[in-house]
Amino acid sequence: MTGQSGHGTKGVFELLSGWRRTRENLPFKDRVADAYSDVMVTYTMTSALYFITFVFAGQLEQNRYHSIFCCKIPSAEYLDHKPVWFQTVMSDGHQQTSHHETNPYQHHFIQHFLREHYNEWITNIYVKPFVVILYLIYASFSFMGCLQISDRANIINLLASDSPSVSYATVQQKYFSNYSPVIGFYVYEPLEYWNSSVQEDLRKLCSGFTAVSWVEQYYQFLKVSNISANNKSDFISVLQSSFLKKPEFQHFRNDIIFSKAGDENNIIASRLYLVARTSRDKQKEVVEVLEKLRPLSLSKSIRFIVFNPSFVFMDHYGLSVTVPVLIAGFGVLLVLILTFFLVIHPLGNFWLILSVTSIELGVLGLMTLWNVDMDCISILCLIYTLNFAIDHCAPLLYTFVLATEHTRTQCIKSSLQEHGTAILQNVTSFLIGLVPLLFVPSNLTFTLFKCLLLTGGCTLLHCFVILPVFLTFFPPSKKHHKKKKRAKRKEREEIECIEIQENPDHVTTV
């Protein structure tokens, strides 16, 4: 059994190592796709595990079982006779009451704080002007940040923060940012290099670049040596026998691929190196160079490919910023239009649209002021911000809109008392869950931390500060609720007159 077990374990390790080697041999694009698939599988499994444990914890709480020890929570009378540490560990935070209690959170300390202190303070007439000033400051910084948005994405964010490549990229961007990456120019089919028209096409393609080219060096060599090579045989013969034998030109041997068919040699492929002069906005200009060169590779008579390892990042950047922004904007607009006709109260949806827009623009502007680049992570966080803001603002707003109290102030107090505890607990646990991201040595993870921290902070600010004040200024009005209650009170106070026709002497009785 031991031998079989060891043999089986060895087979598993061989299988895993073979699978790893297979993945390493894949092209870069396929490896990225595989890594993305692994991330999505891990995310799906984690989400499923979270959902299962969430449901299990809910069942425990509903049946009054301990969330850690999974045992029945003792009664209050039993806990009163136990030590303080036992009461702290085994208590669920609520006092033991009858089963007919409508609000089990009535005695929770957060609920008590909101009901007795915070609701009165935030709706105080002397606090409201300061909240308005705070929102104007918030809107000003958000607007200022939105005006400074630029489509820059730093390749350093894809590296580990302790990687030596970060130092190289930092020095390169600081001192040599006026030059583009070295672009490989690969001609992948036989070409008549001795033809003057082909030489002119190559010069036009390389114009505007600093070229490290065997072609230019060879043409210069022929001119200085006064050698005529206007046909194929002379061109290749002088190239192999004279030019590539020179010590200063021997490094070009690896740039030319020869093929021999019988007694005749052919150049089947070659490569050049190009460097472009750029300004401060280097990335944008390199993307523009790519957009110009790639169509030329299909339309020109010279078939070529341009490539640099950083182009993979730039292609990914171009797809992961522009397209998701358009898709997210269209999706949000479509969802808001559809839900406008499906909600209980249209005015509640109007307030929800304003709140979500304010939170989204706030996160976007403050994110820019915090030096967060518009990369794939920040775009995904902005999309998640919409969902997070709707989940937390919608219950508060719809409870306020449908409330039947006499005044707006009473309605917002009732809304905060009903949903404030849950919102505060949810956002607090969300922010605490972000703390481990600070210890991951990755700039990309730190970007995720910044975006999610702003998402939670802006949502909390709107739910507990901005909305409770602004909802007391603007519609919906609660006067129609007063009229309905007054009408009901009048109906109860009316005196009914009943006519009795059996006794003619006693006409009516009151």
Side-chain angles (χ1 to χ4, degrees):
M1 291 296 292
T2 305
Q4 292 179 359
S5 175
H7 180 73
T9 305
K10 182 179 179 181
V12 170
F13 279 112
E14 290 178 353
L15 180 63
L16 291 175
S17 60
W19 173 74
R20 189 180 298 109
R21 286 193 299 270
T22 304
R23 288 189 60 174
E24 291 176 353
N25 294 330
L26 290 175
F28 178 79
K29 184 177 180 180
D30 295 338
R31 278 188 287 164
V32 171
D34 286 350
Y36 179 76
S37 301
D38 293 344
V39 171
M40 292 305 297
V41 170
T42 305
Y43 174 76
T44 304
M45 295 177 64
T46 306
S47 301
L49 181 62
Y50 172 78
F51 179 75
I52 293 172
T53 54
F54 183 80
V55 173
F56 178 69
Q59 291 291 331
L60 291 177
E61 182 179 0
Q62 184 178 3
N63 297 322
R64 291 189 56 80
Y65 278 85
H66 201 281
S67 59
I68 298 177
F69 303 112
C70 300
C71 61
K72 195 74 174 179
I73 296 177
S75 62
E77 294 78 7
Y78 181 81
L79 290 175
D80 289 339
H81 301 287
K82 295 296 180 180
V84 177
W85 66 268
F86 186 83
Q87 296 179 14
T88 305
V89 172
M90 297 304 297
S91 176
D92 60 348
H94 307 296
Q95 295 181 3
Q96 186 69 23
T97 58
S98 63
H99 295 287
H100 300 287
E101 186 181 10
T102 57
N103 188 3
Y105 285 97
Q106 190 69 24
H107 303 286
H108 195 279
F109 73 95
I110 299 179
Q111 187 82 351
H112 177 77
F113 172 76
L114 292 176
R115 182 177 62 252
E116 301 296 335
H117 304 286
Y118 185 78
N119 289 349
E120 297 295 334
W121 177 79
I122 195 62
T123 55
N124 191 299
I125 191 173
Y126 300 106
V127 176
K128 292 179 181 180
F130 294 98
V131 174
V132 174
I133 295 174
L134 175 64
Y135 183 73
L136 292 177
I137 296 174
Y138 166 83
S140 302
F141 277 95
S142 302
F143 183 71
M144 182 173 61
C146 291
L147 293 179
Q148 298 179 14
I149 294 176
S150 61
D151 52 354
R152 66 185 190 278
N154 199 338
I155 195 172
I156 296 177
N157 292 336
L158 300 178
L159 305 172
S161 56
D162 55 352
S163 172
S165 301
V166 174
S167 302
Y168 159 76
T170 303
V171 172
Q172 198 273 339
Q173 291 178 3
K174 183 177 180 180
Y175 297 107
F176 304 101
S177 59
N178 291 332
Y179 297 94
S180 72
V182 178
I183 303 172
F185 185 95
Y186 302 89
V187 181
Y188 58 88
E189 67 178 11
L191 197 65
E192 296 180 356
Y193 295 95
W194 53 90
N195 195 324
S196 59
S197 61
V198 173
Q199 296 175 11
E200 185 64 24
D201 289 340
L202 285 174
R203 289 192 183 95
K204 288 181 179 179
L205 289 174
C206 297
S207 62
F209 295 92
T210 301
V212 180
S213 168
W214 70 268
V215 178
E216 291 293 333
Q217 294 290 335
Y218 184 48
Y219 293 157
Q220 188 68 22
F221 172 79
L222 294 176
K223 183 178 180 180
V224 172
S225 303
N226 198 17
I227 300 176
S228 177
N230 297 325
N231 54 64
K232 177 180 178 181
S233 58
D234 293 341
F235 187 90
I236 296 178
S237 176
V238 175
L239 178 64
Q240 289 181 316
S241 59
S242 300
F243 179 75
L244 295 179
K245 294 292 181 66
K246 297 281 185 180
E248 61 270 25
F249 302 128
Q250 285 184 357
H251 60 279
F252 288 126
R253 287 184 177 181
N254 296 326
D255 297 336
I256 309 171
I257 306 300
F258 293 98
S259 175
K260 190 171 184 180
D263 297 334
E264 191 177 44
N265 291 324
N266 297 310
I267 301 176
I268 60 174
S270 68
R271 67 180 176 186
L272 321 174
Y273 295 102
L274 307 176
V275 179
R277 182 85 176 181
T278 60
S279 61
R280 292 180 62 87
D281 198 355
K282 167 185 170 182
Q283 179 174 276
K284 185 177 180 180
E285 293 189 8
V286 173
V287 172
E288 291 177 354
V289 168
L290 285 177
E291 292 177 351
K292 291 179 180 179
L293 285 177
R294 284 173 174 169
L296 290 177
S297 65
L298 302 176
S299 60
K300 288 287 185 179
S301 58
I302 300 176
R303 312 292 290 183
F304 65 90
I305 299 173
V306 289
F307 181 74
N308 182 275
S310 63
F311 291 176
V312 177
F313 163 73
M314 293 179 183
D315 289 339
H316 176 68
Y317 155 78
L319 293 176
S320 63
V321 174
T322 307
V323 176
V325 167
L326 296 177
I327 294 176
F330 176 75
V332 170
L333 182 63
L334 182 62
V335 168
L336 293 178
I337 292 175
L338 292 177
T339 54
F340 190 82
F341 302 99
L342 300 177
V343 295
I344 302 174
H345 201 294
L347 191 57
N349 198 38
F350 174 75
W351 271 107
L352 182 61
I353 292 173
L354 291 181
S355 302
V356 171
T357 304
S358 177
I359 294 173
E360 184 76 9
L361 293 178
V363 172
L364 181 60
L366 297 177
M367 185 178 68
T368 305
L369 295 179
W370 204 356
N371 296 323
V372 177
D373 296 331
M374 290 294 294
D375 53 16
C376 57
I377 295 297
S378 57
I379 292 297
L380 291 176
C381 289
L382 288 175
I383 297 174
Y384 175 72
T385 300
L386 298 172
N387 177 49
F388 193 84
I390 292 174
D391 286 345
H392 292 81
C393 293
L396 189 69
L397 289 170
Y398 287 121
T399 303
F400 171 81
V401 170
L402 300 176
T404 58
E405 277 75 8
H406 292 304
T407 63
R408 298 190 186 97
T409 301
Q410 292 177 353
C411 290
I412 194 61
K413 287 180 180 179
S414 176
S415 301
L416 282 175
Q417 185 174 341
E418 184 172 350
H419 299 288
T421 302
I423 294 175
L424 185 61
Q425 288 176 338
N426 192 13
V427 176
T428 303
S429 61
F430 173 78
L431 295 177
I432 293 174
L434 299 179
V435 175
L437 296 179
L438 291 173
F439 302 98
V440 179
S442 172
N443 294 307
L444 206 61
T445 307
F446 193 58
T447 298
L448 179 65
F449 170 79
K450 288 181 178 180
C451 296
L452 295 182
L453 180 63
L454 290 174
T455 298
C458 291
T459 303
L460 197 66
L461 178 68
H462 279 73
C463 289
F464 284 92
V465 179
I466 296 173
L467 287 178
V469 172
F470 278 73
L471 287 175
T472 60
F473 296 153
F474 302 104
S477 175
K478 300 300 178 180
K479 291 183 179 179
H480 63 283
H481 295 301
K482 292 182 181 180
K483 293 179 180 180
K484 288 183 179 180
K485 289 189 176 183
R486 287 174 183 174
K488 291 181 180 179
R489 192 181 301 113
K490 287 182 179 179
E491 290 178 1
R492 289 195 302 267
E493 294 175 353
E494 286 182 351
I495 301 175
E496 298 180 355
C497 294
I498 304 174
E499 184 178 358
I500 304 176
Q501 297 182 359
E502 287 80 359
N503 189 356
D505 297 332
H506 192 184
V507 180
T508 59
T509 180
V510 177

